[in-house]
Amino acid sequence: MLSPGPRCRALLPTIYSGGLRASHCLKQLHWQLLAQVPHVGRWGVVTLRLWLCSGWTQALPTRPSSEPESAKTGGGGVLTRSACPFLADAPWCGHCQALAPEFTRAAGILKNESAGLRLAKVDATEETDLSTEFGVTGYPVLKLFRDGNRTHPIDFTGQRDAEGIVRWMRRKAGPSAELLQDEARAQEFIASQDVVVVGFFKDLQSKAAQGFYDVASDAVDVTFGVSNKTELFQKYSVTPDTVCLFKKFDEKRVDFPLDAELGLNKEELSRFIVLHSLELVMEFTSQNSPKIFGAKIHNHLLLFINKTLETHLEILGSFQAAAPPFRGQVLFVLIDVNGEGAQVLQYFGLKSHEAPTMRFINVETNKKYRMATDEFATQAVGSFAQAVLDGKVQPHLMSEEVPEDWDKHPVKVLVGKNFEQVAYDETKNVFVKFYAPWCTHCKEMAPVWEELGEKYKDHENIIIAKLDATVNEITNLTIRGYPTLHYFPAGPDRKMIEYKSARDLETFSKFLENGGTLCVPHVPPPWPLAPFPHGAEGWVPRISPPPGR
């Protein structure tokens, strides 16, 4: 069986396919992983390791220089060092397996620096008191402990790769903003990155300036500068207590003046930086996906084009022109069907030859929308986006055609077009498996589901069925993990019961014979829900491991 790491990376672009149908490895990545990634989501935690990224001033004990140090509950040595983040994982968990080598590589990078930052780990299968003390319920988890403060660790919010861990640690350990003293350095600083943020403050010790430093400390992927020099105020035509975001695209510069009475609102400034650090039209790539999903803008308007065709590129201008009024409400995204975006097509039920076309998706509800007829003029694009926001467009539901032999086998085949008729038949009790063809857990469960179908194939009012949820969508039913099992009891009430117990023939049978209930107390599955990698929340379908994994 392939390890989730490589498989996950190969499927990276699946994100929009299931809102990133997420990958075992990368946070279940954003929408990119949506389309093809197997094994995402609920990771079983039978055994787990708790890692501590820890920064300190002493050398690590005798072990490979790049290996994180272990921590024990008793001594508390690691937790009393100067700084320390924290990671929990299950050895078979795809996310954890993907993170482990990155974590080790980050440890090696940091060990060679003079700042004295180090990483360490603790085995939570043995040190269970630590995981309980710090509220670790999903994996992997990273927390930072600073200056021996054991009671208020800081949750890790950076990218979960070696560079992201190192960048986050450096920002937390060092100054969050560079002090700009003269015009030459300011110009050089502003030109150094695609996006930089500079705070112009009359008093660098003021409450507003301190709030700016706090924001800079958290936004580790953005470069910050600060100045109190009058000559720079004049050079950039700003009044004191103004934050400027300089960028090499779109409008080049955007200002965030502080309210003279209310001062600096850190949440508003953080949101301002996130929104204006994004291009008006973001191309979907593995590099951009964390930004796209980290922006926490639920509405995305996707333009699918083939960038090798000049006629398609001409459409991009009108699409981009429609974007400014929707900044912060709708994220405009370019999907190149001839590039990384090809992996997004399946999630929307599209083929590359159907480009150019547009789709609107709400990543919170997973509802998708399409134009009745694709029109790419700026006004048409804007009108479509506004109509969706106003609730004037009905969601577009994908469906395969009904197979001719859909009811000829013990397990009936459902699609979007016959689901209503079968699942809500008032004379039948229908047990449906919602699956993804690429999902390993679904494949492992398939023989048991076929046995169940065979057992009840002649039953007068029980139907065993399956539905490929990657290409068929049902009104008011969102599938967030694979496999998902729902029972639709007979009767006029249109009830739906989610099955969450053991996945074996005996338990399935008891559930059906008892009319959709089990006579034993419900025992939660032995796997907690793994947290999404930072920024992908709401997009990634979660795949639950079978019991015992």
Side-chain angles (χ1 to χ4, degrees):
M1 179 176 177
L2 292 175
S3 68
R7 175 165 47 189
C8 181
R9 293 189 179 91
L11 297 172
L12 177 73
T14 307
I15 292 182
Y16 257 138
S17 6
L20 301 188
R21 211 172 277 179
S23 129
H24 232 159
C25 359
L26 300 176
K27 182 177 196 174
Q28 290 165 25
L29 283 173
H30 324 308
W31 17 288
Q32 172 180 357
L33 301 177
L34 288 180
Q36 304 178 12
V37 180
H39 299 1
V40 184
R42 288 177 185 159
W43 301 107
V45 178
V46 178
T47 59
L48 63 90
R49 281 173 296 169
L50 181 63
W51 302 71
L52 290 163
C53 321
S54 137
W56 48 19
T57 56
Q58 301 179 16
L60 291 172
T62 53
R63 60 177 59 242
S65 61
S66 62
E67 182 71 16
E69 182 180 359
S70 297
K72 300 291 184 179
T73 303
V78 169
L79 299 184
T80 57
R81 310 288 178 147
S82 60
C84 164
F86 177 71
L87 157 74
D89 86 329
W92 56 266
C93 162
H95 298 297
C96 306
Q97 292 175 7
L99 181 56
E102 298 294 326
F103 192 72
T104 299
R105 190 157 64 91
I109 296 172
L110 291 172
K111 184 172 175 59
N112 295 325
E113 297 186 354
S114 59
L117 300 175
R118 299 290 184 268
L119 306 185
K121 63 183 179 182
V122 57
D123 185 343
T125 60
E126 296 181 5
E127 307 300 330
T128 55
D129 288 347
L130 279 179
S131 58
T132 300
E133 178 182 354
F134 299 115
V136 177
T137 58
Y139 311 93
V141 168
L142 288 152
K143 292 180 183 288
L144 173 69
F145 297 83
R146 301 182 65 175
D147 303 321
N149 187 332
R150 187 176 181 123
T151 59
H152 294 85
I154 301 170
D155 289 333
F156 178 82
T157 56
Q159 290 297 116
R160 295 191 178 189
D161 55 27
E163 290 73 20
I165 293 170
V166 169
R167 186 165 56 245
W168 192 84
M169 288 290 288
R170 287 171 177 164
R171 179 64 62 86
K172 295 299 181 181
S176 57
E178 178 180 337
L179 181 61
L180 304 177
Q181 301 276 30
D182 54 56
E183 184 176 326
R185 177 52 192 152
Q187 290 180 328
E188 181 183 8
F189 177 82
I190 291 170
S192 66
Q193 305 289 334
D194 287 344
V195 176
V196 299
V197 177
V198 180
F200 296 92
F201 297 97
K202 182 177 181 179
D203 179 5
L204 296 182
Q205 301 303 317
S206 66
K207 183 177 180 180
Q210 295 306 310
F212 177 81
Y213 291 132
D214 290 342
V215 170
S217 178
D218 290 335
V220 298
D221 294 321
V222 179
T223 301
F224 287 79
V226 66
S227 182
N228 62 349
K229 298 299 182 180
T230 302
E231 63 179 280
L232 294 184
F233 295 175
Q234 296 173 347
K235 165 66 179 176
Y236 294 102
S237 302
V238 297
T239 57
D241 296 339
T242 297
V243 176
C244 298
L245 185 147
F246 298 90
K247 50 187 174 179
K248 296 181 179 179
F249 50 84
D250 297 337
E251 60 269 70
K252 307 300 183 182
R253 169 181 162 180
V254 191
D255 291 356
F256 183 88
L258 275 60
D259 187 289
E261 296 182 2
L262 300 178
L264 185 145
N265 183 304
K266 292 192 287 187
E267 290 185 4
E268 290 182 3
L269 177 58
S270 296
R271 186 64 177 160
F272 170 86
I273 292 170
V274 169
L275 293 181
H276 290 279
S277 294
L278 299 173
E279 297 178 58
L280 281 170
V281 175
M282 296 289 295
E283 180 172 359
F284 176 71
T285 64
S286 56
Q287 182 177 3
N288 281 344
S289 62
K291 298 178 183 178
I292 291 170
F293 292 96
K296 297 184 179 179
I297 298 173
H298 296 312
N299 298 301
H300 294 185
L301 180 59
L302 283 61
L303 172 65
F304 295 82
I305 65 170
N306 185 332
K307 289 176 66 177
T308 65
L309 301 178
E310 189 64 32
T311 53
H312 285 204
L313 290 175
E314 291 172 359
I315 296 172
L316 186 56
S318 57
F319 184 72
Q320 185 168 12
F326 297 95
R327 188 189 288 278
Q329 284 186 290
V330 180
L331 188 58
F332 282 53
V333 182
L334 173 66
I335 305 291
D336 181 9
V337 301
N338 195 49
E340 288 189 63
Q343 298 181 56
V344 174
L345 290 169
Q346 180 184 350
Y347 183 66
F348 290 89
L350 293 171
K351 303 293 184 182
S352 60
H353 65 80
E354 295 180 76
T357 188
M358 286 190 300
R359 292 293 184 273
F360 190 111
I361 182 170
N362 181 290
V363 299
E364 189 174 38
T365 64
N366 210 33
K367 291 181 179 179
K368 307 178 186 72
Y369 305 83
R370 61 173 297 179
M371 278 183 165
T373 303
D374 281 321
E375 297 182 51
F376 304 107
T378 298
Q379 183 177 356
V381 173
S383 296
F384 172 61
Q386 190 60 55
V388 175
L389 293 178
D390 293 341
K392 298 178 180 178
V393 182
Q394 292 299 312
H396 170 68
L397 300 175
M398 297 189 299
S399 176
E400 296 177 292
E401 293 302 319
V402 179
E404 291 184 4
D405 61 347
W406 72 271
D407 60 347
K408 300 297 191 266
H409 302 284
V411 176
K412 313 308 177 187
V413 179
L414 302 186
V415 297
K417 292 182 178 181
N418 69 347
F419 179 85
E420 177 83 12
Q421 168 193 349
V422 177
Y424 291 109
D425 184 335
E426 295 183 9
T427 67
K428 305 294 184 182
N429 299 291
V430 185
F431 200 13
V432 184
K433 175 182 72 172
F434 297 85
Y435 72 97
W438 42 259
C439 166
T440 300
H441 304 308
C442 300
K443 293 176 182 178
E444 292 174 346
M445 201 189 83
V448 177
W449 201 250
E450 292 296 328
E451 287 184 58
L452 189 66
E454 186 68 30
K455 181 174 180 177
Y456 289 96
K457 66 179 181 180
D458 297 322
H459 198 286
E460 62 179 357
N461 63 9
I462 292 180
I463 293 177
I464 308 302
K466 63 181 180 180
L467 180 144
D468 180 352
T470 67
V471 288
N472 295 283
E473 297 173 320
I474 309 301
T475 303
N476 298 323
L477 177 57
T478 300
I479 303 301
R480 299 191 178 280
Y482 300 108
T484 290
L485 308 177
H486 283 299
Y487 177 75
F488 300 84
D493 298 331
R494 298 176 63 86
K495 290 183 179 179
M496 179 178 71
I497 301 169
E498 183 173 3
Y499 178 90
K500 295 182 178 180
S501 195
R503 297 173 185 169
D504 58 68
L505 183 61
E506 180 181 0
T507 311
F508 283 152
S509 300
K510 289 180 180 178
F511 177 78
L512 291 171
E513 298 298 337
N514 289 318
T517 62
L518 288 172
C519 296
V520 295
H522 172 65
V523 178
W527 55 88
L529 181 64
F532 290 145
H534 183 61
E537 295 80 358
W539 252 99
V540 185
R542 294 170 286 176
I543 301 171
S544 3
R549 289 295 295 274

